[in-house]
Amino acid sequence: MSATKTGYFSHPSCRRHEMGRGHPECPERLDAIEDRLLATGVIDALDRRQAREASDEEIALAHDPMHVAAVRGLREEIAEQVAAGGYAYAHIDPDTAMCPHSWDAAVHAVGAVLDATDAVMAGEVENAFCAVRPPGHHATRGRAMGFCIFNSVATGVRYAIDRHGLKRVAVVDFDVHHGNGTEDILAGDERVLMVGLFQHPFYPGSGDPPLAANMVNLPVPAYTKGPAIRAMIEAEWLPRLEAFRPEMVFISAGFDAHREDDLGQLGLVEADYVWITDRVKDIAHRHAQGRIVSSLEGGYNLDALGRSVEAHVRSLAGL
Ligand SMILES: [Zn+2]
């Protein structure tokens, strides 16, 4: 396989967002990814870019402007408390909080996906991986939840349609948790096909049945391993993606379905992530000039996360 030009988008602010000691969605996740890509030399094959911030208007392509304003309001509250000499968190739900750096991280996480979309559409890179946090796929049109503030992938999809004029965009979500936010935003939008798999029943409890015909949801029982999941993908995802003929593919790349990840109970391993990514690349090459933008979602066992992202990025880059 010949090498592909793959972009790698991130921003230092994504490292500074944190939700309190012991929270699994921690800054060290990005260190684990960078360390692994450095140690293996994979980073040298990537086109590294520092992401811009997304504007409120861009985020509102996927979100209710009231949600953007509410998050901005929390940012102001936190800033006032910091100015008064404290260090404040604003809790959004039992799992999700903002610190003084969270706004910057969230708007750069979205900005990375938008920048990656621009770079892929311009042909500067064939595909891209966004090493960003907070993750996004649980954030609904009107609400932050489940470690997520803004839905980066859903915003990217709407940006590709709205700003680049694409008519058919696919989303692939292999995080162990159902991408309820992306489904909430994109269900019923005939310009979009979303294929997902997720442990079920499990957090956040949604996904079965899907909200609309453009959602291909595969609920998977706990302890299912790679071979069974590959068979489900071949039977359910690939024919739908083939028939849809996407002009671009976004990936919500969560790695918490890895067998070593304690936040889920599925049994994927690195080779499965390579296989899934290779299948998505096949679809993208047949229909979308290879255009893929992948963005980090979950993945909480730091060692497994580093290895899984390496495997995924190697596949994207054809290494
Ligand atoms: Zn997850």
Side-chain angles (χ1 to χ4, degrees):
M1 214 187 308
S2 66
T4 301
K5 203 163 176 200
T6 294
Y8 182 85
F9 291 75
S10 192
H11 189 274
S13 63
C14 295
R15 173 72 181 71
R16 292 194 284 267
H17 161 65
E18 53 89 17
M19 296 187 283
R21 192 183 294 272
H23 198 295
E25 206 290 279
C26 59
E28 290 78 10
R29 297 178 63 231
L30 293 183
D31 299 338
I33 291 168
E34 294 247 337
D35 289 352
R36 182 76 190 181
L37 296 178
L38 279 167
T40 54
V42 171
I43 201 86
D44 299 328
L46 306 177
D47 184 345
R48 300 192 72 175
R49 310 265 188 106
Q50 185 152 309
R52 67 178 167 95
E53 27 181 294
S55 68
D56 288 22
E57 189 193 11
E58 287 168 335
I59 297 167
L61 290 168
H63 289 285
D64 185 336
M66 295 285 285
H67 172 56
V68 185
V71 175
R72 231 185 218 293
L74 290 174
R75 177 210 193 192
E76 304 308 326
E77 266 176 46
I78 294 167
E80 280 167 25
Q81 294 189 43
V82 169
Y87 183 93
Y89 292 101
H91 284 274
I92 293 171
D93 74 13
D95 303 320
T96 315
M98 288 177 64
C99 79
H101 305 291
S102 299
W103 170 271
D104 274 353
V107 296
H108 281 99
V110 179
V113 172
L114 303 187
D115 264 355
T117 301
D118 287 337
V120 166
M121 289 304 301
E124 294 166 18
V125 294
E126 182 172 298
N127 56 40
F129 179 73
C130 301
V132 293
R133 45 185 298 281
H137 75 151
H138 294 309
T140 68
R141 183 167 161 72
R143 184 157 91 102
M145 61 176 277
F147 311 169
C148 302
I149 296 174
F150 296 131
N151 196 316
S152 306
V153 163
T155 309
V157 168
R158 280 279 161 78
Y159 180 85
I161 292 169
D162 198 74
R163 304 293 165 88
H164 288 285
L166 296 188
K167 294 183 175 62
R168 293 180 309 280
V169 178
V171 179
V172 173
D173 186 332
F174 54 71
D175 190 277
V176 80
H177 304 97
H178 174 235
N180 64 297
T182 314
E183 178 175 64
D184 174 68
I185 294 163
L186 300 174
D189 185 338
E190 298 301 325
R191 303 166 298 182
V192 180
L193 177 72
M194 177 173 179
V195 301
L197 69 87
F198 46 89
Q199 185 176 324
H200 189 79
F202 199 43
Y203 182 90
S206 50
D208 187 24
L211 291 180
N214 68 326
M215 296 287 143
V216 179
N217 292 353
L218 302 183
V220 179
Y223 308 111
T224 305
K225 294 191 174 73
I229 288 172
R230 293 188 195 196
M232 293 172 80
I233 288 172
E234 278 189 322
E236 310 287 340
W237 281 11
L238 301 183
R240 288 292 297 273
L241 287 166
E242 230 8 281
F244 184 67
R245 297 181 294 117
E247 296 170 298
M248 181 161 176
V249 183
F250 287 82
I251 302 179
S252 266
F255 298 94
D256 41 10
H258 194 284
R259 71 174 174 192
E260 293 167 36
D261 198 302
D262 292 334
L263 259 73
Q265 285 83 41
L266 294 186
L268 295 187
V269 296
E270 292 88 312
D272 296 311
Y273 291 119
V274 170
W275 184 87
I276 295 170
T277 312
D278 283 348
R279 298 291 78 71
V280 175
K281 271 185 81 177
D282 290 344
I283 298 280
H285 275 137
R286 273 199 291 281
H287 302 291
Q289 301 172 39
R291 296 168 184 149
I292 299 171
V293 170
S294 174
S295 188
L296 181 66
E297 302 282 2
Y300 303 100
N301 176 311
L302 297 181
D303 193 61
L305 175 63
R307 286 184 272 118
S308 300
V309 170
E310 181 205 344
H312 175 59
V313 170
R314 273 189 191 279
S315 165
L316 286 176
L319 301 175

